[in-house]
Amino acid sequence: DRVAIYMPMILELPSYKTPSLTNALIAARDQGVSFLKTAGTAIMAICVVMWWLNPFPRVSPPPEAVSLQAQAAATLNAEDAATLEQVIASAHRTPAFAARDAYRHPKETLLFFGIRQDQHVAEIWPGAGWYSEILGPYLRDRGRYYAAHFYIDEKTSDNYRKARLAFQEKLARAPALYGKTVVTSVRAPEQTELAPKGSLDLVLTFRNVHNWAVDFGNDQAMFNAFYDALKSGGVLGVVEHRAKPG
């Protein structure tokens, strides 16, 4: 018979020593360099392939496509200009207002500011509605016209109160022309929401800045309100009187 003899196994372990910072840094450096050599080769190869697949110089659209785009833009601008001209020549305008066209040049002014029929446009303090007779019908079907009139509170003068009331009555008498006009108020800093924030393509003001700068002292606050209402890239169109020299 065989007899199993079990012998204990004894291992002698060296005394534990805390690794030095120098050795740890050297090991980390060696492993990092090894990783960069391996991974860097693959990364460089991928970059070379992507560069080769990327066309350089980039392919430009064919001339016929550019020509069609330019023709479409020119046609749109021509249609907008023709419609604007028709509205300005329309019989609905107040004769005394139309007589000022030779001096105010509404067609040239509005086209200079880049107006289009599909835009959302606010006119600041439209007064008796000189430009409203043009903007309301022009923007009625495809765009939106905000008439940001005088803000009424206890500080509002009687003249401003009467002007706003007369303006609203003017619009109410011709719903076919002004039925889609949105009447709001603005007088910064008390009332600044002339239209939803970031919604407007164009803000227009005609001969008003001197009132804010001289009479109200709120010109910067008004401009801030216009900025808030405009879209990114929107336009602020200002028409103002000439100041005296000096």
Side-chain angles (χ1 to χ4, degrees):
D1 295 335
R2 294 181 180 181
V3 178
I5 299 174
Y6 297 95
M7 299 293 292
M9 187 179 71
I10 299 174
L11 294 177
E12 183 179 358
L13 298 175
S15 59
Y16 176 77
K17 294 183 179 180
T18 304
S20 67
L21 179 61
T22 301
N23 291 337
L25 292 175
I26 292 173
R29 181 200 62 187
D30 293 342
Q31 293 180 12
V33 170
S34 176
F35 171 79
L36 290 176
K37 286 181 178 179
T38 304
T41 302
I43 293 172
M44 178 61 71
I46 293 172
C47 290
V48 171
V49 171
M50 294 298 294
W51 173 82
W52 183 77
L53 292 176
N54 188 36
F56 186 84
R58 294 187 180 274
V59 178
S60 301
E64 58 270 18
V66 176
S67 178
L68 288 174
Q69 292 174 357
Q71 290 176 15
T75 300
L76 178 61
N77 293 337
E79 290 177 354
D80 283 333
T83 302
L84 182 60
E85 191 169 359
Q86 291 173 6
V87 172
I88 291 173
S90 177
H92 77 273
R93 295 186 64 206
T94 303
F97 288 178
R100 299 290 299 168
D101 288 355
Y103 309 100
R104 295 186 174 180
H105 308 287
K107 176 186 174 183
E108 292 79 4
T109 299
L110 294 174
L111 291 179
F112 174 78
F113 291 139
I115 196 168
R116 298 195 317 269
Q117 290 176 268
D118 60 350
Q119 289 181 329
H120 287 202
V121 179
E123 182 189 2
I124 310 303
W125 288 13
W130 198 94
Y131 265 99
S132 301
E133 292 188 351
I134 299 171
L135 295 172
Y138 181 71
L139 298 166
R140 178 188 57 202
D141 295 330
R142 296 170 54 192
R144 181 166 297 174
Y145 171 49
Y146 291 88
H149 218 291
F150 302 131
Y151 176 62
I152 304 299
D153 64 1
E154 66 278 0
K155 296 190 295 184
T156 306
S157 68
D158 289 340
N159 288 338
Y160 279 23
R161 291 175 185 272
K162 292 177 182 178
R164 170 153 183 164
L165 179 60
F167 178 81
Q168 291 177 301
E169 291 175 345
K170 175 190 184 76
L171 268 55
R173 289 193 298 268
L177 296 172
Y178 312 114
K180 295 183 180 181
T181 296
V182 181
V183 180
T184 61
S185 304
V186 61
R187 190 187 69 204
E190 296 89 346
Q191 165 62 22
T192 58
E193 192 171 347
L194 57 122
K197 288 188 176 182
S199 67
L200 297 179
D201 301 287
L202 178 61
V203 172
L204 298 169
T205 181
F206 303 97
R207 294 168 298 280
N208 287 312
V209 175
H210 64 283
N211 293 316
W212 306 327
V214 177
D215 299 335
F216 293 90
N218 66 342
D219 48 324
Q220 186 58 60
M222 293 292 280
F223 289 133
N224 292 344
F226 306 158
Y227 178 85
D228 289 340
L230 283 166
K231 296 177 180 178
S232 177
V235 174
L236 170 61
V238 178
V239 174
E240 189 48 79
H241 297 292
R242 289 191 182 95
K244 294 180 179 179

